[in-house]
């Protein structure tokens, strides 16, 4: 519609026609801006599913592209009225995969760069599109390596006014400093047969990224990128926007697909996180400040990094063998309903990134709930976490967590070797039981007989 307004105008342009057609362009611009405002309001005032939140982000990006094209038409329309019949063009990043981390030497993207032009004067591409690196706001404070970071596969040809970068890679890490990409191209505008002017176009910067050299940098880098995305222009955000971005980050961290998560971050999980770490409820009028986010991420970041990178933990998490988001008191209330040797795995609320095992135990005729903080030495020297659980005879039946389609929580006790055997380094044989306390072995044998073939489940 805007294209036709500009393309079909009769020259010379009289003032009344100029004002009439410009008003039509302004009406379209206002409509696009209003739709973007409503989507932004939706993100900030509702707890959205991961799929719906991604959809709002995609739609807002499309509206941004519309506004950029409209801006170009406005410039062309004003130039026509002033008698300056010259070509106008813009290079824009149509598809931006950032903000997210990149891995040194690994392709990022895809990144789509598009050449958009005015309606009346076409542009002819003279050069390929080239990418360049732009230092972020914290680059000089954070980065202590070489100033120039090399890009690989940073040149692509425009085809139908679009260039797609599928193999672009950063060849050095940035030591948790942020960087951006910017793209360049040269075009020519042939206004008449005697004029062929070349113009160098430069895109706006992409959203920031941080180039990692090892996995230990991940949670720090993600915390920086989230902080920039959420608080670059404001001092606080709504609790709903905070939760929506937290769910998005969680889905990516646990390597799941938005909208088809095996283990979503439930409303109960979000309520626990907001209450236990920030003493906040999820309701209108509740906000999260920049400092509150930093304190929250200082606890949650190391925990989710451990799930993402430590061997077998992500699979155990998705299968529900790591409960994770439950308080010490609530864990005790759950375990009191089960026999000796039943245990669950949770995040420590005091030790950042720490895993704790809560288990029901009997000592001197008294039954109690004990808590064990897993130490680095327990899973060091190539010993995975499932092997540690396997070798602890006081752990007999693990509580496996489930969520139904309505988000209701339920759990089933499973004999630990049956549940975790898929993660063991070697098959278990009779020799594995040598050296264990005989009384506890007898108790374990009794519990296996009692639970064999049963499927015990209850809702909480």
């Amino acid at each position: 519609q805007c294209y036709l307004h500009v393309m079909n105008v009769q020259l010379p342009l009289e003032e009344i026609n100029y004002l009439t057609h410009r008003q039509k362009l302004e009406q379209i611009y206002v409509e696009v801006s209003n739709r973007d405002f409503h989507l932004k309001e939706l993100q900030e005032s509702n707890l959205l599913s991961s799929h719906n939140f991604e959809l709002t982000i995609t739609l807002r990006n499309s509206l941004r592209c519309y506004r950029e094209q409209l801006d170009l038409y406005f410039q062309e329309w004003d130039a026509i009225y002033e008698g300056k019949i010259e070509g106008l063009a813009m290079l824009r990043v149509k598809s931006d995969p950032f903000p997210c981390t990149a891995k040194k030497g690994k392709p990022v993207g895809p990144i789509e760069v598009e050449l958009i032009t005015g309606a009346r004067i076409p542009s002819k591409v003279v050069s390929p599109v080239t990418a360049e690196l732009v230092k972020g706001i914290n680059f000089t404070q954070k980065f202590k390596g070489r100033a120039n970071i090399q890009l690989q596969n940073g040149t692509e040809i425009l085809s139908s006014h679009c260039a797609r970068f599928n193999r672009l890679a950063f060849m050095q890490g940035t030591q948790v400093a942020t960087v951006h990409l910017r793209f360049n191209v040269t075009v020519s505008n042939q206004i008449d047969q005697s004029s062929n002017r070349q113009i160098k176009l430069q895109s706006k910067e992409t959203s920031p990224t941080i180039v990692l050299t090892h996995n230990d940098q991940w949670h720090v880098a993600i915390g920086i990128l989230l902080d920039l995305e959420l608080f670059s222009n404001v001092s606080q955000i709504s609790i709903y926007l905070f939760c929506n971005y937290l769910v998005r980050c969680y889905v990516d961290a646990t390597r799941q697909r938005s909208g088809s998560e095996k283990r979503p971050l439930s409303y109960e999980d979000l309520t626990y996180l907001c209450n236990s770490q920030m003493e906040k409820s999820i309701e209108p009028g509740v906000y999260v400040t920049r400092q509150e986010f930093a304190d929250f991420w200082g606890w949650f970041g190391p925990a989710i990094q451990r799930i993402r990178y430590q061997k077998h933990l992500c699979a155990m998490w998705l299968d529900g063998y790591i409960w994770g988001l439950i308080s010490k008191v609530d864990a005790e209330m759950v375990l009191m309903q089960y026999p000796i040797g039943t245990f669950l795995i949770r995040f420590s609320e005091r030790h950042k990134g720490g895993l704790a095992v809560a288990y029901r135990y009997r000592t001197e005729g008294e039954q109690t709930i004990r808590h064990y903080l897993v130490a680095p030495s327990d899973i060091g020297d190539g010993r995975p976490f499932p092997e540690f659980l396997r070798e602890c005879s006081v752990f007999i039946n693990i509580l496996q967590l489930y969520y139904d389609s309505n988000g209701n929580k339920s759990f089933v006790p499973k004999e630990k070797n049956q549940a975790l055997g898929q993660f063991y380094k070697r098959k278990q044989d009779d020799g594995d039981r040598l050296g264990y306390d005989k009384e506890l072995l007898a108790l374990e044998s009794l519990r296996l007989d009692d639970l064999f073939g049963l499927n015990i489940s209850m809702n909480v």
Side-chain angles (χ1 to χ4, degrees):
Q1 187 178 0
C2 298
Y3 172 84
L4 293 175
H5 276 312
V6 181
M7 187 65 185
N8 296 331
V9 64
Q10 297 297 316
L11 298 179
L13 184 63
E14 297 181 358
E15 182 176 3
I16 187 169
N17 290 332
Y18 163 74
L19 295 175
T20 299
H21 286 286
R22 201 180 200 286
Q23 187 177 28
K24 292 180 180 179
L25 292 178
E26 290 172 350
Q27 289 173 351
I28 297 173
Y29 194 93
V30 169
E31 182 181 350
V32 171
S33 298
N34 286 340
R35 293 188 180 186
D36 181 65
F37 175 80
H38 291 313
L39 286 171
K40 181 174 180 290
E41 193 175 52
L42 186 67
Q43 293 175 334
E44 295 178 348
S45 59
N46 294 273
L47 199 59
L48 303 174
S49 69
S50 62
H51 173 74
N52 286 339
F53 186 60
E54 287 295 334
L55 186 59
T56 62
I57 292 175
T58 301
L59 290 173
R60 292 193 68 191
N61 182 63
S62 297
L63 293 172
R64 172 188 63 83
C65 292
Y66 291 148
R67 285 199 300 270
E68 289 173 346
Q69 182 70 72
L70 283 168
D71 286 335
L72 198 63
Y73 286 148
F74 275 121
Q75 295 177 41
E76 186 176 30
W77 193 249
D78 293 341
I80 291 172
Y81 178 66
E82 295 170 3
K84 301 175 182 179
I85 311 301
E86 59 184 23
L88 293 169
M90 175 190 297
L91 190 67
R92 70 178 177 195
V93 180
K94 184 179 180 180
S95 177
D96 183 357
F98 309 121
C100 67
T101 58
K103 199 72 179 287
K104 172 187 171 183
K106 299 293 184 180
V108 297
I111 306 171
E112 289 189 22
V113 181
E114 184 180 34
L115 175 68
I116 59 175
T117 64
R120 300 184 68 88
I121 307 298
S123 296
K124 181 181 178 180
V125 179
V126 176
S127 73
V129 181
T130 58
E132 65 172 317
L133 185 136
V134 181
K135 299 173 184 178
I137 57 175
N138 68 340
F139 189 90
T140 54
Q141 296 93 340
K142 297 284 185 181
F143 188 66
K144 300 177 183 178
R146 287 183 292 172
N148 297 321
I149 297 176
Q150 301 299 317
L151 296 175
Q152 188 177 68
N153 302 317
T155 301
E156 293 290 344
I157 302 297
L158 276 170
S159 176
S160 300
H161 284 201
C162 188
R164 186 179 177 91
F165 291 79
N166 292 315
R167 301 177 299 127
L168 188 148
F170 302 89
M171 301 314 293
Q172 287 90 33
T174 60
Q175 299 179 11
V176 300
T178 57
V179 293
H180 307 255
L181 290 174
R182 189 165 56 201
F183 297 89
N184 303 277
V185 72
T186 301
V187 300
S188 65
N189 292 138
Q190 188 171 354
I191 300 174
D192 53 45
Q193 292 183 352
S194 62
S195 175
N196 191 0
R197 186 162 61 97
Q198 290 193 353
I199 305 171
K200 291 184 178 180
L201 301 177
Q202 192 172 72
S203 74
K204 295 180 181 178
E205 298 173 5
T206 64
S207 299
T209 183
I210 294 175
V211 186
L212 308 181
T213 54
H214 53 85
N215 295 337
D216 290 345
Q217 298 171 322
W218 181 84
H219 86 270
V220 175
I222 292 295
I224 293 171
L225 293 174
L226 280 172
D227 175 87
L228 290 174
E229 186 167 16
L230 296 174
F231 298 100
S232 58
N233 299 315
V234 296
S235 60
Q236 62 181 16
I237 60 172
S238 74
I239 193 72
Y240 293 106
L241 188 63
F242 166 81
C243 288
N244 287 331
Y245 270 98
L246 183 61
V247 169
R248 187 187 192 209
C249 176
Y250 161 80
V251 171
D252 176 72
T254 53
R255 309 177 193 275
Q256 301 184 82
R257 290 194 62 175
S258 174
S260 58
E261 300 95 323
K262 183 177 182 180
R263 181 176 176 181
L265 203 60
S266 68
Y267 178 79
E268 184 177 354
D269 293 331
L270 291 170
T271 300
Y272 165 80
L273 288 170
C274 293
N275 183 264
S276 65
Q277 296 302 315
M278 299 187 296
E279 298 183 350
K280 293 181 181 293
S281 57
I282 303 175
E283 59 184 0
V286 177
Y287 295 89
V288 177
T289 67
R290 194 171 207 161
Q291 186 58 53
E292 288 170 336
F293 167 77
D295 294 340
F296 170 85
W297 191 258
W299 177 84
F300 186 74
I304 199 65
Q305 172 164 302
R306 192 168 189 176
I307 293 297
R308 179 178 175 87
Y309 286 112
Q310 191 168 318
K311 189 173 182 179
H312 300 312
L313 289 198
C314 191
M316 291 177 64
W317 172 268
L318 296 179
D319 287 342
Y321 293 122
I322 297 177
W323 193 308
L325 305 178
I326 185 173
S327 68
K328 183 176 181 179
V329 173
D330 288 342
E332 292 177 352
M333 292 177 61
V334 170
L335 287 172
M336 286 300 293
Q337 306 171 57
Y338 288 89
I340 301 298
T342 305
F343 68 100
L344 63 82
I345 305 162
R346 64 180 183 88
F347 292 129
S348 170
E349 293 179 304
R350 289 186 297 139
H351 297 267
K352 298 176 181 179
L355 283 177
V357 183
Y359 61 102
R360 193 160 189 196
Y361 185 73
R362 181 173 64 195
T363 176
E364 298 179 355
E366 181 181 355
Q367 297 186 11
T368 184
I369 305 297
R370 306 290 293 271
H371 299 267
Y372 180 79
L373 182 66
V374 180
S377 58
D378 294 325
I379 51 177
D381 299 325
R383 184 193 193 193
F385 184 52
E387 292 292 334
F388 162 75
L389 297 174
R390 176 191 195 184
E391 296 169 11
C392 293
S393 62
V394 293
F395 304 149
I396 301 173
N397 301 306
I398 186 171
L399 284 184
Q400 185 180 18
L401 178 65
Y402 287 96
Y403 285 99
D404 63 23
S405 58
N406 296 320
N408 297 317
K409 183 187 298 182
S410 61
F411 46 89
V412 174
K414 288 189 176 180
E415 194 275 322
K416 70 174 181 183
N417 293 324
Q418 177 190 0
L420 305 178
Q422 59 183 313
F423 306 116
Y424 292 162
K425 295 173 64 175
R426 55 189 173 84
K427 292 184 178 181
Q428 191 170 22
D429 54 38
D430 293 338
D432 291 324
R433 295 186 177 276
L434 295 177
Y436 285 115
D437 188 278
K438 293 182 179 180
E439 180 182 354
L440 192 58
L441 284 174
L443 174 63
E444 179 175 358
S445 177
L446 175 63
R447 287 304 309 150
L448 288 176
D449 290 340
D450 290 344
L451 295 179
F452 184 77
L454 297 182
N455 185 14
I456 299 176
S457 175
M458 68 178 298
N459 294 323
V460 295

